[in-house]
Amino acid sequence: MDLKNFFGELRRRNVYKVAVAYAVVAWLLVQVATQVFPFFEVPNWAIRLVVLILVIGFVVALVFSWAFELTPEGLKRTEDVNATSSVTKRTGRKLDFVIIAILVLIIGIFTYQRFAGQKVGSTAELQVLEKALPFSRLKTEAKTKRTLILPTASRTRF
């Protein structure tokens, strides 16, 4: 089999576009699973199972995109569809729009997490302030009593 014809046939049957669309949707599902499952206290093996199922499904999706073509009459074997009446261009165009829409959604999620997640007075900042607060009290107490308070680690003898 000629390698150039093989890659051309992959492109004609929209296998590349199905692979990209599946990978993007699978990545999004894995992200949702890793964020939502711990909230509902679902065990970690369930996340691994979701990833494994998506990896196996990737191979199945590629085989189906090679063997079948989506036509207005339904799903047909690629060999049964005439090359002149093929709608792979329209199907490929629809896949392009699906991929673009999902990528825009992912970029929106990243942007939201990046900028909306950093609020003033967040719990992380409050924890840092709570940890630093006792030291600020020690400094003010030391200034008022005129005594020197040293941590125990600095009193070690050499």
Side-chain angles (χ1 to χ4, degrees), residues 118-130:
Q118 297 179 357
K119 297 178 182 175
V120 176
S122 65
T123 56
E125 290 175 356
L126 290 176
Q127 288 174 350
V128 169
L129 287 175
E130 287 174 358

Side-chain angles (χ1 to χ4, degrees), residues 32 39 43 45-46 51 75 78-79 86 98 102 106 123:
V32 168
F39 180 72
W45 63 265
V51 172
L75 206 59
T78 305
E79 292 83 21
S86 178
V98 168
I102 292 172
I106 290 171
T123 56

Side-chain angles (χ1 to χ4, degrees), residues 23-122:
V24 168
V25 171
W27 178 85
L28 187 63
L29 289 174
V30 168
Q31 294 301 314
V32 168
T34 56
Q35 296 297 317
V36 172
F37 283 13
F39 180 72
F40 291 112
E41 297 178 1
V42 177
N44 283 336
W45 63 265
I47 296 172
R48 291 185 192 112
L49 182 66
V50 168
V51 172
L52 183 64
I53 289 171
L54 289 172
V55 168
I56 292 170
F58 182 74
V59 175
V60 172
L62 291 182
V63 168
F64 270 98
S65 68
W66 174 265
F68 296 100
E69 185 174 329
L70 186 61
T71 64
E73 293 85 31
L75 206 59
K76 291 186 176 181
R77 290 188 52 90
T78 305
E79 292 83 21
D80 297 340
V81 178
N82 291 337
T84 57
S85 64
S86 178
V87 292
T88 56
K89 295 277 186 197
R90 283 183 263 157
T91 306
R93 191 88 169 138
K94 290 177 185 177
L95 282 173
D96 288 343
F97 287 123
V98 168
I99 292 169
I100 290 169
I102 292 172
L103 285 174
V104 167
L105 177 70
I106 290 171
I107 290 170
I109 290 171
F110 275 146
T111 305
Y112 177 76
Q113 287 178 345
R114 177 73 178 152
F115 296 114
Q118 297 179 357
K119 297 178 182 175
V120 176
S122 65

